């Protein structure tokens, strides 16, 4: 068995954020095997206050496509280097079993983003396409590096799919929201990331009611009790608070991850109490059983018998 193995897919100095909004698009051939997760390692040398807080704030979107299938599709509700809060992107990864960490610093950033996917890549080689949308930084970035790695693990147990979000334009009232679940993506709905278009919750007293699981609306803090947020469950970097350790928080303003306890049966229906006219996005996370295995090399399936005795006797016939 292969166990755990790390493979570098890409290493460049161009796929990094900058002072202005930008998009980085690239594709890589990747080895076959049980790909547990993708890992982005980004370093930057900045001018002062280029990114005020969490590095994940500069991700406005991120899409990975493997062999023609979209496996991860994230769109930020709020992004930008001037957002002095925990990032929705880092919060989301930490909520679904990934990892978003960095070494806090004003001028030299080093950030890691681990994205769980759980995919068996075809035996010989697979094709991974990436589209990264960066929001504008708060100031210029002088230089940096971008690396994309793969973590292969034959003990991987689940396939994780982050599918395109459903957007909903809210009035200041209680409204029904139908979160669309693609029928061609296997798995159960493990959770839904709700993002506002500003760094504010803007929920009414009835909060969010998941119709399949409650006869009552649960306010944001109630939900944060059970998703782990209120238990200092938000971890992020802010060099204004510390340059030697990450900072704990109890919430990400405008972001709320709602565990759905593996719902099946189709679209997910919510009732949402909004205290303001605003637009929210609802991003489902689907998981499915995954039977990881070692990559099998290209091999022949027809056999040619080697038998000297038979070859000699054939000459006598």
């Amino acid at each position: 068995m292969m166990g755990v193995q790390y493979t570098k897919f890409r290493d460049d100095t161009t796929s990094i954020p900058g002072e202005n909004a930008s998009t980085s698009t690239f594709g890589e051939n990747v080895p076959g095997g049980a790909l547990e997760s993708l890992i982005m390692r980004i370093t930057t040398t900045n001018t002062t206050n280029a990114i005020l807080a969490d590095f994940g704030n500069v991700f406005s979107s991120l899409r990975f496509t493997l062999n023609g299938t979209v496996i991860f599709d994230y769109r930020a509700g709020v992004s930008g280097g001037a957002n002095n809060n925990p990032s929705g992107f880092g919060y989301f990864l930490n909520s679904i079993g990934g990892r978003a960490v960095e070494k806090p610093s004003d001028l030299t950033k080093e950030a890691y983003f681990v994205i769980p996917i759980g995919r068996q890549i075809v035996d010989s080689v697979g094709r991974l396409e990436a589209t990264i949308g960066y929001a504008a930084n708060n100031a210029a970035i002088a230089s940096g590096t971008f690396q994309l790695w793969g973590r292969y693990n034959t003990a991987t147990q689940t396939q994780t799919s982050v599918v395109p979000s459903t957007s909903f334009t809210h009035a200041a009232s209680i409204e029904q929201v139908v979160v669309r679940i693609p029928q061609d993506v296997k798995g159960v709905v493990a959770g839904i990331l709700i993002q506002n278009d500003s760094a504010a919750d803007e929920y009414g007293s009835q909060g969010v009611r998941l119709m399949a699981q409650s006869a009552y609306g649960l306010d944001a803090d109630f939900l944060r009790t059970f998703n782990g947020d209120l238990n200092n469950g938000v971890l992020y970097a802010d060099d204004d608070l510390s340059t030697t350790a990450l900072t704990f928080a109890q919430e990400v303003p405008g972001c709320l991850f709602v565990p759905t306890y593996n719902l099946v049966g189709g679209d997910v229906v919510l009732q949402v109490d909004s205290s303001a006219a605003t637009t929210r996005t609802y991003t489902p996370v689907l998981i499915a059983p995954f039977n990881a295995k070692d990559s099998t090399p290209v091999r022949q399936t027809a056999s040619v018998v080697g038998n000297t005795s038979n070859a000699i006797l054939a000459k006598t016939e």
Side-chain angles (χ1 to χ4, degrees):
M1 297 294 287
M2 181 177 66
V4 173
Q5 186 176 51
Y6 295 90
T7 300
K8 186 189 293 185
F9 298 154
R10 187 176 183 86
D11 192 340
D12 67 46
T13 59
T14 57
S15 304
I16 59 174
E19 185 173 7
N20 300 313
S22 63
T23 301
S24 179
T25 302
F26 59 83
E28 297 289 344
N29 293 329
V30 296
L35 183 60
E36 176 192 70
S37 55
L38 297 170
I39 306 165
M40 295 187 297
R41 177 182 184 267
I42 306 175
T43 66
T44 58
T45 301
N46 309 322
T47 55
T48 301
N49 290 330
I51 303 175
L52 292 184
D54 203 11
F55 196 103
N57 277 312
V58 299
F59 284 89
S60 60
S61 63
L62 179 63
R63 170 179 283 195
F64 284 110
T65 304
L66 181 62
N67 292 335
T69 299
V70 177
I71 58 174
F72 185 90
D73 194 339
Y74 172 81
R75 297 289 184 272
V78 175
S79 59
N83 184 31
N84 201 11
N85 287 299
S87 69
F89 181 58
Y91 168 69
F92 179 52
L93 291 183
N94 287 329
S95 296
I96 64 173
R99 193 169 299 176
V101 292
E102 68 178 278
K103 298 179 68 174
S105 172
D106 181 22
L107 300 180
T108 56
K109 301 284 189 181
E110 182 179 356
Y112 295 82
F113 302 97
V114 181
I115 303 167
I117 58 169
R119 291 300 194 283
Q120 188 75 41
I121 298 179
V122 292
D123 291 337
S124 54
V125 66
R127 183 68 178 177
L128 181 70
E129 302 286 343
T131 302
I132 307 173
Y134 290 117
N137 284 358
N138 198 46
I141 284 182
S143 61
T145 62
F146 175 92
Q147 293 178 350
L148 180 64
W149 294 71
R151 173 177 157 118
Y152 290 81
N153 182 4
T154 52
T156 303
Q157 296 183 341
T158 55
Q159 171 184 297
T160 305
S161 301
V162 175
V163 300
S165 60
T166 296
S167 62
F168 191 92
T169 301
H170 288 268
S173 62
I174 299 177
E175 297 172 298
Q176 180 170 290
V177 179
V178 179
V179 182
R180 301 298 182 182
I181 306 301
Q183 299 305 301
D184 58 347
V185 179
K186 66 179 181 179
V188 297
V189 183
I192 296 173
L193 175 68
I194 304 177
Q195 297 184 91
N196 200 8
D197 60 5
S198 64
D201 283 342
E202 297 182 330
Y203 290 112
S205 60
Q206 296 302 305
V208 178
R209 177 188 173 192
L210 182 58
M211 301 292 284
Q213 293 179 343
S214 178
Y216 303 92
L218 307 179
D219 67 31
D221 285 343
F222 193 113
L223 290 166
R224 287 178 171 128
T225 297
F226 290 98
N227 69 8
D229 289 358
L230 285 188
N231 192 34
N232 279 343
V234 178
L235 195 61
Y236 73 107
D238 188 339
D239 62 90
D240 291 331
L241 302 175
S242 175
T243 57
T244 59
L246 296 176
T247 298
F248 288 105
Q250 292 185 298
E251 64 179 48
V252 181
C255 287
L256 181 63
F257 187 77
V258 179
T260 54
Y261 304 97
N262 296 356
L263 285 175
V264 296
D267 297 335
V268 179
V269 181
L270 308 173
Q271 283 186 348
V272 180
D273 183 6
S274 185
S275 64
T278 188
T279 299
R280 293 185 176 89
T281 58
Y282 299 80
T283 305
V285 179
L286 276 64
I287 60 171
F290 174 62
N291 184 22
K293 60 181 182 293
D294 282 333
S295 175
T296 305
V298 175
R299 65 202 186 282
Q300 65 185 37
T301 57
S303 61
V304 178
V305 175
N307 188 311
T308 302
S309 178
N310 286 348
I312 293 173
L313 291 175
K315 295 287 188 179
T316 67
E317 294 179 353

